[in-house]
Amino acid sequence: MAAVKIDSVTVYRQWQPFASGTYTCSGGRSAEGFDSTIVRIAADNGLVGWGEMAPLGSFYDPSFVGGAREGIRLLAPLLIGLDPRAPHVLNEVMDLHLNGHPYAKSALDMACWDLAARAADLPLAEALGGRFSTTVDLYRSVSQAAPEVMAQQAAEYIDHGYRRLQVKVGLDPDDDVERMEAVLAVLPAGTVVYADANAAWQPAQARRFLRSTAHLDYTLEQPCASYANNLAIRAACDRPLVLDESIDGVETLVRAHADHLVDGITIKIARVGGITKARLIRDVAVQLGLQVTVEDTGGAEIDTAAMAHLSVSTPNQSRTHTVDFHNWVTVSHGVADLRCVDGTMTAPDAPGLGVEVDITALGEPLLVVS
Ligand code: 0XW
Ligand code: MG
C-alpha cells in the first residue's frame, strides 16, 4: 500500500454566536456562543481533512478553548509524517505525548477520519461500519429561565419541527418541578422529554425532584456530579436515567452498566477525545444493550457532520437523538447536506464528513505547522 503522510496542520478559530441568545444551564452558568477551533490536515497525496472542537464556555466539562489550542500546538508537530488513515496509531502518539486533555485531541482525530474516509471514497458513516438509517432524530435544549419563558421557548422549538426536548433543570428542585410542568403543558402528545440537571444537584435534591415529578413522563439526565451520588439516587429513580458528563471513557461506561446505574449514555466526541474513542464507547454501549446519544459540546457544520455520521452508524434500536449545532449558531463555515426536516437530520452522503469547507469564513490561521 502506498504510504500517505501528513504534511501540514493548519488551525483556525471561528466565533459562533447563538441564534437563540444566551444559553443558560444550572448554577447561572451561561455562554453567548461557541468559540470554535477548526483544524485542516493536509497529506502528501493531495487530500485534506477537517476537524472541529468547540467547548461550551469553560464551565461545562473539563475543557476550555485555551487548553484545546495549546494542546493542538503541542501535538500538531508530532503528527507530521504520520499516516492520517491510521487513527489508532495517531491516537497512541497523541496519548503518549499529552497525558489526558482528550478534548485537545478531538479535532485532530476528526480531521484524520475525514481524510481517511475521503481517501477510501466513502462517507464517514460507511467508513465507520455502515449506515442504519439516512436520518437521525434531533433534540433541542430549553435553556434555563422562568417557567413561562421556558414554556414559550419550548413551544417555538416544537413549531420549528423538534419532537424531542431537553429541559434544563438543576437549580432549586421545587422551582425545577414548576419548569417541567410549564414546559410539558405546552407540548403535543408524543414529545420526548429529557430533564437535564447538568450534574448540579445533591442527592437529596434529586430525590425531591423525582418524588414531585412522579406524574410526569421524562428521562432524567446527569442529576448529580459524582459517580457515587448518581448511584445513590438510582433506587429512587423509576424512570430512564442517562449519564452525560460522567461518561469519559469505556471504563466508566462498563462500571455504570455493571452497577445498574444507567439506561443510556451520552457520548460527547470532544470529551472522549475524538471519533476513534467515541466509536469504541458507542460500540461497547450498544453491545451492553444501552441507549446511546452521540453528540458534542459545540461547533457548526464540521462537528455536526461528525455527530450525524456517528449517529446514523449506530443501530436504530440503540440510538436516541443528536443535536443540529449548525442551526444553533448564526454563522456557517461550509456546505453540507445536513438537512433538517420534522425534527430529523440527514447525515451527508459525500465522502468523508461530507462538508465543503468555506475557508474564507475562517479568517487568518492561528497556527500553521508543516
Ligand atoms: C445540550 N448540550 C449538548 C449542549 C452543550 O454542549 C451542553 C450539552 C448538554 O447536554 O448539556
Ligand atoms: Mg447533558
Side-chain angles (χ1 to χ4, degrees), residues 23 60 139 141 166 168 194-199 221-222 242-245 266 268 271 295:
Y23 177 93
Y60 171 66
Y139 77 89
S141 298
Q166 182 193 62
K168 290 297 182 189
Y194 280 54
D196 188 359
N198 283 116
E221 179 166 335
Q222 193 76 40
V242 307
L243 288 182
D244 178 356
E245 283 89 328
T266 292
K268 295 277 201 288
R271 177 186 302 130
E295 57 173 17

Side-chain angles (χ1 to χ4, degrees), residues 63 131 149 154 177 240 267 279 368:
S63 65
R131 189 182 302 244
V149 177
V177 175
I267 303 166
R279 174 169 72 157
V368 184

Side-chain angles (χ1 to χ4, degrees), residues 342-370:
D342 293 336
T344 68
M345 177 169 69
T346 299
D349 209 11
L353 289 168
V355 184
E356 224 31 78
V357 176
D358 171 14
I359 210 158
T360 64
L362 303 179
E364 287 301 307
L366 299 177
L367 174 73
V368 184
V369 178
S370 58

Side-chain angles (χ1 to χ4, degrees), residues 313-350:
S313 59
T314 303
N316 297 336
Q317 70 278 12
S318 304
R319 180 178 63 234
T320 52
H321 47 213
T322 194
V323 278
D324 54 337
F325 277 142
H326 64 308
N327 289 328
W328 286 39
V329 299
T330 59
V331 295
S332 154
H333 54 227
V335 179
D337 184 10
L338 293 164
R339 261 169 302 148
C340 295
V341 180
D342 293 336
T344 68
M345 177 169 69
T346 299
D349 209 11

Side-chain angles (χ1 to χ4, degrees), residues 42-112:
D44 62 0
N45 63 351
L47 283 175
V48 161
W50 291 89
E52 178 174 24
M53 188 275 159
L56 180 63
S58 55
F59 54 80
Y60 171 66
D61 66 2
S63 65
F64 69 109
V65 168
R69 292 190 188 146
E70 277 310 307
I72 292 169
R73 186 183 296 279
L74 186 152
L75 293 169
L78 305 173
L79 302 187
I80 303 294
L82 299 184
D83 190 330
R85 302 166 305 171
H88 289 224
V89 177
L90 288 153
N91 273 277
E92 278 287 308
V93 170
M94 293 198 284
D95 289 342
L96 182 66
H97 292 278
L98 178 61
N99 190 341
H101 301 275
Y103 60 95
K105 300 163 185 169
S106 187
L108 294 167
D109 174 81
M110 192 183 291
C112 290

